[in-house]
Amino acid sequence: MVSGPMRGTGPLLAGKLTVPPVPPTHVPRPRLLHRLDAGAGTPVTAVVAGAGWGKSTLLAAWARHTGAPIAWVTLGSSEDDPTRFWTYVATALTSAAPDVTGRVLRALAVPSVDPLDVAVPELLNGFAARDEPAVLVLDDLHEVTDARVTEGLEFFLDHLPASLRVVVASRTEPPIGLARLRARSRLTELVTGDLRFTAQEARALLTPAPRGPLDLPEHDPAALAGLLARTEGWAAGLVLGALTLRDRAQGREVPHGPPGLRHAVDYLVAEVLAGLAPDRRELLLHTAPLDRLSGPLCDAVLDRDDTGVVLPGLERDGVFVTALDGDRRWYRVHPLFRAALRRELDDPVRGAEVQQRAAAWFWEQGMVEEAIRARLDAGDSAGAADWLLQSRAMFLATARVGVFADLGNRLDPAEVAGSTELLLSLAWAAGVTGRLDRVPELLDRAAERVREGCDGAGLPDFASPVGAIAALRAVYGTASVASPEVALDAAHEAVAAEGDPRLPGWVVARVALAGALLAVGRWAEALPQLDAAWQAPAVSALPAFSRLEVAGLLTWCLVQPGDDDADPERDARAERMLRWTHSDAAALETQLGDAAASALALLHASAGVLDRRAGRLGPARARSERAAELVGVQAHPAVAALVLVSAAETALASGDPTAALRFLDRAREARLSAPPLPAIDRQVAAVESRAGQRAAARARPALLEALTDREISVLRALRGPLSQREIGTALHLSVNTVKGYTKSLYRKLDVGSRGEAVERGRALGLC
């Protein structure tokens, strides 16, 4: 149950981060290169057309033509996860701006922090401070469908700094706000009509020099005109048609009908295969289930030893095989051609066997994720589940908890339901990555297995499955708006079940109980639980991030109540805790910045209280305001409200009632996502009464930066009583996307709270 940073980001496929080589049959298309060059006047360029229209080849050629640094990402279904997607983006941009992406990648290694909370703003701010231009190319964007990814990319494009241009290629128009960009003249587009081959381009494609496999018979303009008319300039249709016309002497004819029809493509592919040497035909047909190919992989799958020679030959001859990297180690078959090959193969048993052999090869090479995906594609859910559990520590160590969760979601539900260990592992992964809606059902199934006496391990580091289930339920498995007693009951059960202080589960159970008590204002009861957790032998085995989380909770409890009625003995203990943790906390904050929120927020807040009590109001303001920033990134809503009330107290003590009222507005907003907590409500009312009526609004100039349409929608939603999660539901956005737009509009409006934002928006006629 670690929420802190994990080592590295796991193995990224170099081929996905490399500008693909231009195929030998490439035809220069200056008119399109000019269009892409001219697109530098807009921050976003979209190349949208169906399969086989030459999008990737065009962009690969342009990447070598343009003078700006290119960061390239070829996307696949495995990037349909926010952390994985932004890790590839940040890694690709490292060559252009290593000073920017280092901290971004470290933030992405904290699985419990949404990329939109820290990593994406860090990336935008980093490029906003740079003058050197860079271009990010996202190829095959249609492979990404998760709303958390597309919403995050939409936010990114809405706030793109001048130094960064983004070019996307997709088979369909992606849901990333292109309509708004188009309306604001911030978008350059190339679509199907632009990508059609002209007669001159088609002749160049089909009659290369020296003459090669795409060569039409000499002096046959009628054949070219007919092929161009039938394919309507479709690149894939032209190539397939040319490959069949090459064998015209054998009586083959090009099928008539609109280009792109499945039967036409299948017919053409069958003709192409018939004209290939047997070794080439076997390779293409029997590896069709695989989405990428290499010589060693294909040799292992097909029991042969010559694939490393055959693949480059297929690429050289233009048979829809392209290299994925400059070293030509990995290749892929064009998706359109590959789909037709799979239909031609039409042998599910053989397809599953190929995937199983590929899985074994990937596993032997240490490519664990690819191995599990191949087993899943083979329909072997039991084998995939076994490997997934064996590799749990690896996914944890390489910051791929989200990938672990996604692979688990692809398993046969019956396979998951039959393993307590797998149920708990997936519940933990869902909780850490913020997919809280999935946690209760997984825990309920695990609890049912335990009640039925089913054998099976729980989670490592816990004494029993009962303790792990209860601890996970207390931390992740209860809605924030549910009765606090639900979390308290689960935490008490976890404490009762975990009896070995040498195990981390013993510490986790007591921290969970303390957190549940603190959320309802019962800090005096939370204190002994945290004392025990801090003194347990197992705490020394926890990562620094987790130890600081425990230290923060303990220190916060020591300085309660948060007013100036101090207990000298507890304050002295809190001072010692802050000294003991100072070095680790400072190092973590330098390394992770805001991504360390859950480990550092309460340490900053506690230091702010102690400074205020000692009359050190300058440091008190700085520490309490930093704590307020951090709880905006990640915190239980009740804890966030307590920290914000404390920040209001400090602002009031410093003679700044306006700032105090801002913090109180934010505390009320946090309360919308928390269960009824009368103690916090009383604190808010008491501080507000001392602050007096709202301070006069500061004179502000007109907006220097206009709000986007999406920001205006969020601003208008802030007028009502809805929480950010409810606003997200109403606007069909995730809560983290709403948080991102809220932060942005606060900055543009020069305000610090929801109430001020609405007031300012009304004054400007925006809401």
Side-chain angles (χ1 to χ4, degrees):
M1 294 179 65
V2 176
S3 58
M6 299 175 180
R7 298 190 302 277
T9 54
L12 300 182
L13 298 178
K16 290 178 175 285
L17 298 168
T18 305
V19 179
V22 175
T25 54
H26 168 66
V27 173
R29 307 179 78 185
R31 64 184 179 89
L32 297 181
L33 298 180
H34 176 72
R35 288 281 303 278
L36 290 168
D37 285 340
T42 61
V44 181
T45 298
V47 183
V48 180
W53 283 97
K55 302 181 295 296
S56 299
T57 299
L58 171 64
L59 291 180
W62 176 73
R64 288 167 169 78
H65 156 86
T66 188
I70 296 290
W72 183 287
V73 183
T74 299
L75 297 163
S77 58
S78 60
E79 283 71 64
D80 209 11
D81 166 81
T83 299
R84 180 68 163 244
F85 174 86
W86 290 109
T87 297
Y88 267 101
V89 168
T91 304
L93 287 166
T94 296
S95 59
D99 55 319
V100 172
T101 57
R103 197 164 184 174
V104 173
L105 288 168
R106 289 192 293 271
L108 288 165
V110 184
S112 57
V113 176
D114 190 279
L116 272 183
D117 282 335
V118 178
V120 174
E122 285 270 8
L123 199 57
L124 290 169
N125 292 338
F127 273 93
R130 293 174 57 87
D131 296 324
E132 300 85 355
V135 179
L136 171 65
V137 178
L138 300 174
D139 194 20
D140 289 344
L141 187 57
H142 55 271
E143 294 281 359
V144 174
T145 59
D146 191 309
R148 297 170 302 161
V149 178
T150 55
E151 286 175 15
L153 182 56
E154 179 181 348
F155 176 85
F156 185 73
L157 298 181
D158 268 350
H159 299 87
L160 211 57
S163 63
L164 185 58
R165 178 185 177 192
V166 175
V167 179
V168 303
S170 177
R171 292 185 191 173
T172 57
E173 181 166 316
I176 55 175
L178 295 187
R180 291 200 311 280
L181 294 170
R182 189 179 295 126
R184 293 156 56 197
S185 300
R186 292 173 57 82
L187 177 67
T188 296
E189 295 180 271
L190 277 75
V191 295
T192 301
D194 302 305
L195 298 180
R196 295 185 194 283
F197 270 67
T198 65
Q200 182 180 0
E201 290 168 342
R203 170 63 66 181
L205 175 69
L206 302 180
T207 56
R211 293 169 56 80
L214 299 187
D215 189 22
L216 284 174
E218 279 193 89
H219 312 300
D220 192 358
L224 173 63
L227 185 56
L228 190 61
R230 282 190 293 272
T231 60
E232 298 182 3
W234 179 40
L238 284 167
V239 174
L240 282 166
L243 288 167
T244 58
L245 287 176
R246 178 191 58 186
D247 300 323
R248 191 173 189 143
Q250 300 180 23
R252 296 186 177 91
E253 296 182 2
V254 179
H256 295 273
L261 281 178
R262 174 170 158 172
H263 75 271
V265 173
D266 286 357
Y267 181 89
L268 288 166
V269 168
E271 293 293 289
V272 170
L273 287 174
L276 291 177
D279 62 332
R280 290 184 165 195
R281 185 166 58 246
E282 181 201 26
L283 172 63
L284 288 173
L285 266 177
H286 292 151
T287 61
L290 306 178
D291 60 3
R292 60 193 183 103
L293 311 174
S294 74
L297 169 62
C298 294
D299 285 346
V301 166
L302 300 178
D303 275 335
R304 50 192 285 181
D305 59 8
D306 63 344
T307 312
V309 176
V310 177
L311 284 171
L314 287 168
E315 183 198 25
R316 184 176 57 252
D317 293 347
V319 191
F320 288 91
V321 174
T322 56
L324 293 175
D325 54 76
D327 295 332
R328 285 177 159 76
R329 294 178 180 175
W330 288 95
Y331 295 80
R332 77 166 179 172
V333 178
H334 191 284
L336 189 75
F337 194 67
R338 179 179 164 226
L341 287 169
R342 295 184 72 169
R343 292 191 291 270
E344 179 79 10
L345 179 62
D346 191 26
D347 186 348
V349 175
R350 175 61 175 162
E353 180 185 349
V354 166
Q355 291 285 11
Q356 287 283 30
R357 289 190 172 198
W361 185 85
F362 283 129
W363 186 260
E364 289 173 2
Q365 305 303 311
M367 302 170 71
V368 173
E369 180 185 339
E370 290 78 6
I372 295 171
R373 290 187 187 279
R375 262 195 150 167
L376 286 167
D377 290 339
D380 182 9
S381 192
D386 178 48
W387 280 0
L388 189 63
L389 278 177
Q390 286 187 48
S391 309
R392 177 175 50 199
M394 183 276 296
F395 283 104
L396 171 64
T398 55
R400 290 186 290 162
V401 180
V403 174
F404 180 90
D406 287 337
L407 291 172
N409 291 336
R410 287 188 57 191
L411 295 172
D412 182 343
E415 195 67 43
V416 176
S419 167
T420 304
E421 185 178 10
L422 190 54
L423 287 164
L424 290 176
S425 297
L426 293 176
W428 162 78
V432 166
T433 55
R435 306 170 197 190
L436 302 182
D437 57 312
R438 303 178 186 178
V439 176
E441 182 183 359
L442 291 165
L443 294 180
D444 288 345
R445 290 182 178 179
E448 184 178 354
R449 284 183 55 80
V450 172
R451 285 194 300 270
E452 292 173 353
C454 299
D455 293 333
L459 281 180
D461 301 330
F462 280 82
S464 71
V466 171
I469 292 168
L472 286 168
R473 200 182 297 281
V475 177
Y476 302 123
T478 57
S480 61
V481 294
S483 166
E485 298 303 321
V486 177
L488 278 170
D489 288 346
H492 279 296
E493 184 179 0
V495 167
E498 293 299 312
D500 188 347
R502 296 168 298 176
L503 292 176
W506 193 93
V507 175
V508 170
R510 279 143 188 84
V511 170
L513 177 55
L517 290 166
L518 189 59
V520 294
R522 292 160 59 179
W523 59 267
E525 296 173 62
L527 185 54
Q529 298 296 331
L530 290 165
D531 266 333
W534 185 251
Q535 295 167 22
V539 80
S540 60
L542 296 176
F545 194 105
S546 300
R547 287 199 306 275
L548 289 172
E549 286 179 306
V550 179
L553 283 165
L554 175 55
T555 308
W556 180 250
C557 282
L558 287 170
V559 301
Q560 297 306 306
D563 56 28
D564 292 330
D565 184 17
D567 180 315
E569 183 180 344
R570 288 207 310 271
D571 278 6
R573 285 189 61 199
E575 293 274 14
R576 289 195 296 273
M577 287 292 298
L578 291 171
R579 287 197 299 272
W580 289 337
T581 58
H582 173 76
S583 179
D584 285 346
L588 194 66
E589 190 152 16
T590 299
Q591 179 189 13
L592 299 178
D594 288 359
S598 66
L600 301 180
L602 289 178
L603 290 171
H604 278 295
S606 302
V609 171
L610 292 171
D611 283 336
R612 186 179 73 234
R613 287 175 178 169
R616 302 185 293 266
L617 295 181
R621 280 295 291 272
R623 298 298 290 268
S624 63
E625 289 177 5
R626 179 62 178 145
E629 289 175 3
L630 292 173
V631 295
V633 174
Q634 185 184 25
H636 187 285
V639 174
L642 289 168
V643 169
L644 290 163
V645 170
S646 180
E649 289 265 20
T650 301
L652 192 57
S654 302
D656 191 348
T658 300
L661 291 168
R662 281 185 181 181
F663 288 126
L664 293 176
D665 278 347
R666 288 184 56 196
R668 286 196 187 88
E669 187 172 359
R671 283 283 294 102
L672 293 174
S673 299
L677 298 171
I680 295 178
D681 294 336
R682 287 193 297 272
Q683 288 187 51
V684 171
V687 177
E688 188 168 41
S689 68
R690 288 190 283 121
Q693 296 299 315
R694 180 177 293 273
R698 294 176 289 137
R700 297 186 180 94
L703 291 183
L704 298 177
E705 185 180 355
L707 268 61
T708 66
D709 294 342
R710 183 71 85 186
E711 287 166 347
I712 291 173
S713 298
V714 172
L715 174 62
R716 290 172 177 167
L718 292 175
R719 294 176 300 181
L722 299 181
S723 68
Q724 288 186 331
R725 188 173 298 279
E726 291 166 332
I727 289 173
T729 300
L731 297 180
H732 305 290
L733 299 172
S734 72
V735 65
N736 285 298
T737 303
V738 172
K739 286 168 63 178
Y741 280 112
T742 301
K743 288 179 184 177
S744 179
L745 68 89
Y746 279 11
R747 176 182 58 80
K748 292 180 180 181
L749 293 173
D750 191 23
V751 299
S753 70
R754 180 173 182 159
E756 280 192 311
V758 172
E759 182 180 324
R760 175 84 162 126
R762 284 174 175 154
L764 293 168
L766 297 174
C767 63

